[in-house]
């Protein structure tokens, strides 16, 4: 991890996904000094996306992540990349922002861009699902090769289901997908795939069996390592001065003047890689023009 500067940055960017990386590159292009705070590596979440069909120039998340990481390295003279420790809170005042890190360090900037995105929803956040078993991993962590020929439980019909199937068109999967009525429109893209059994239902309860398996009611029983969550996402907003809507998202037009939001954190309506990238670049330009007007 690069140690943060003791002098305030022009811009502190929290999150190294498409929005955060685009913000860092745009900030460098207009002469802003920035810091990019990311607990893993730039583009880490994209590496879970095996196939993309709506990103210009790229067919896989891994290829796009490689390009993002290369672009961030290219602007290293203008952007300090603070890897390895997450941001824990964000506060703003009339002069700027303070981002505190889990290490105890504080990063000061004149503006901040919160681009922390979303996380996988948990069973207790899904009104249709109750569970007495250990929380399964999210579907994007599934290894399709290990699931070949195995009956696999996928809880929910969110979009990673279609991504998995498109990425492995010839893999003989057997996916049983109970989902609530609200997921019906998402299930349409996989409805014709013979490898998927869609089960629309209002409620589902998971229980352990004496043999150590997972009972999913009429859906059947499944090995614990053949069960995955696909319940959608929830915003991963930092504690502090971010203004949230009742569903936890952080719209740009409701924030403190020193705080900008970008990417999937803004709203559930435009959660796409391309829109996140554009919003990050736009947020960096907003900070640039604001700083010019104040100088």
């Amino acid at each position: 991890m690069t140690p943060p500067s003791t002098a305030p940055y022009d811009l502190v960017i929290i999150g190294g996904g498409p929005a955060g990386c685009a913000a860092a590159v745009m900030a460098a292009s207009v002469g802003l000094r920035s810091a990019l705070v990311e607990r893993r590596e730039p583009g880490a979440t994209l590496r879970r996306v095996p196939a993309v069909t709506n990103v210009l120039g790229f067919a896989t998340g891994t290829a796009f992540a490689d390009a993002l990481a290369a672009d961030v390295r290219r602007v290293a003279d203008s952007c300090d990349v603070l890897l390895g420790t997450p941001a824990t809170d964000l506060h703003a005042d009339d002069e700027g922002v303070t981002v505190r890190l889990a290490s105890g360090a504080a990063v000061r900037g004149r503006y901040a861009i919160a681009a922390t995105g979303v996380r996988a929803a948990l069973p207790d956040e899904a009104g249709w699902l109750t569970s007495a078993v250990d929380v399964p991993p999210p579907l994007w962590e599934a290894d399709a090769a290990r699931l070949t020929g195995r009956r696999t439980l996928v809880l929910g019909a969110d979009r990673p289901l279609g991504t998995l199937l498109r990425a492995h068109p010839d893999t003989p999967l057997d996916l049983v997908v109970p989902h609530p009525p609200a997921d019906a429109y998402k299930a349409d893209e996989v409805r014709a795939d013979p490898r998927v059994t869609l089960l629309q239902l209002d409620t589902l309860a998971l229980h352990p069996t004496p043999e150590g398996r997972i009972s999913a009611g009429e859906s059947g029983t499944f090995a614990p390592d053949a069960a995955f969550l696909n319940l959608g996402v929830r915003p991963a907003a930092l504690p502090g001065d971010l203004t949230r809507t009742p569903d936890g998202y952080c719209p740009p037009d409701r924030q403190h003047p020193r705080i900008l939001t970008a990417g999937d954190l803004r709203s559930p309506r435009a959660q796409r890689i391309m829109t996140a990238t554009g919003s990050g670049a736009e947020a960096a330009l907003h900070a640039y023009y604001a700083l010019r007007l104040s100088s």
Side-chain angles (χ1 to χ4, degrees):
M1 175 180 168
T2 301
S5 170
T6 55
Y9 293 95
D10 295 318
L11 184 61
V12 181
I13 304 160
I14 311 152
C21 291
V25 172
M26 180 60 75
S29 77
V30 293
L32 298 186
R33 180 72 179 162
S34 67
L36 177 65
V37 180
E38 168 56 47
R39 64 186 177 91
R40 291 171 295 179
E41 60 177 328
T45 301
L46 288 170
R47 298 186 184 280
R48 302 169 175 169
V49 184
V52 292
T53 57
N54 56 1
V55 178
L56 295 174
F58 298 95
T60 69
T62 297
F64 190 40
D66 288 341
L68 289 183
D71 280 339
V72 170
R73 289 194 297 270
R74 176 172 57 82
V75 300
D77 289 345
S78 299
C79 178
D80 287 347
V81 182
L82 312 180
L83 299 180
T85 185
T88 58
D89 57 75
L90 167 62
H91 295 278
D93 55 48
D94 291 342
E95 301 300 321
V97 297
T98 301
V99 179
R100 297 196 181 278
L101 309 182
S103 64
V107 185
R108 184 73 177 166
R110 299 171 72 183
Y111 284 84
I113 296 176
T116 47
V118 293
R119 57 169 177 80
L122 299 173
D124 60 4
E125 296 173 315
W128 64 283
L129 181 64
T130 57
S131 177
V133 303
D134 291 339
V135 176
L139 184 61
W140 61 58
E141 294 182 4
D143 182 346
R146 295 186 61 186
L147 301 180
T148 298
R150 302 179 67 192
R151 290 188 77 240
T152 301
L153 177 66
V154 178
L155 297 165
D158 200 48
R159 292 187 178 90
L161 176 62
T163 300
L164 175 68
L165 294 167
R166 287 193 301 272
H168 304 280
D170 301 319
T171 301
L173 299 170
D174 179 11
L175 307 180
V176 179
V177 186
H179 66 87
D183 278 2
Y185 76 99
K186 301 176 187 177
D188 285 344
E189 68 172 294
V190 302
R191 201 173 298 281
D193 195 311
R195 299 173 293 171
V196 178
T197 301
L198 292 167
L199 303 172
Q200 182 172 308
L201 39 77
D202 293 322
T203 60
L204 175 66
L206 304 181
H207 299 282
T209 70
E211 299 78 22
R213 297 174 67 83
I214 294 174
S215 171
E218 296 181 3
S219 304
T221 59
F222 303 84
D225 62 348
F228 296 90
L229 294 181
N230 193 36
L231 303 172
V233 295
R234 298 292 184 271
L238 285 173
D241 290 338
L242 282 168
T243 300
R244 300 164 174 78
T245 58
D247 57 1
Y249 286 93
C250 303
D253 60 351
R254 299 191 186 183
Q255 306 307 317
H256 186 282
R258 295 282 177 171
I259 296 176
L260 309 166
T261 58
D264 291 355
L265 183 64
R266 298 171 299 160
S267 163
R269 299 188 64 179
Q271 292 183 350
R272 298 291 188 276
I273 294 170
M274 289 287 282
T275 56
T277 303
S279 72
E282 183 178 14
L285 281 177
H286 181 105
Y288 166 70
Y289 289 119
L291 287 167
R292 285 195 64 183
L293 287 173
S294 64
S295 61

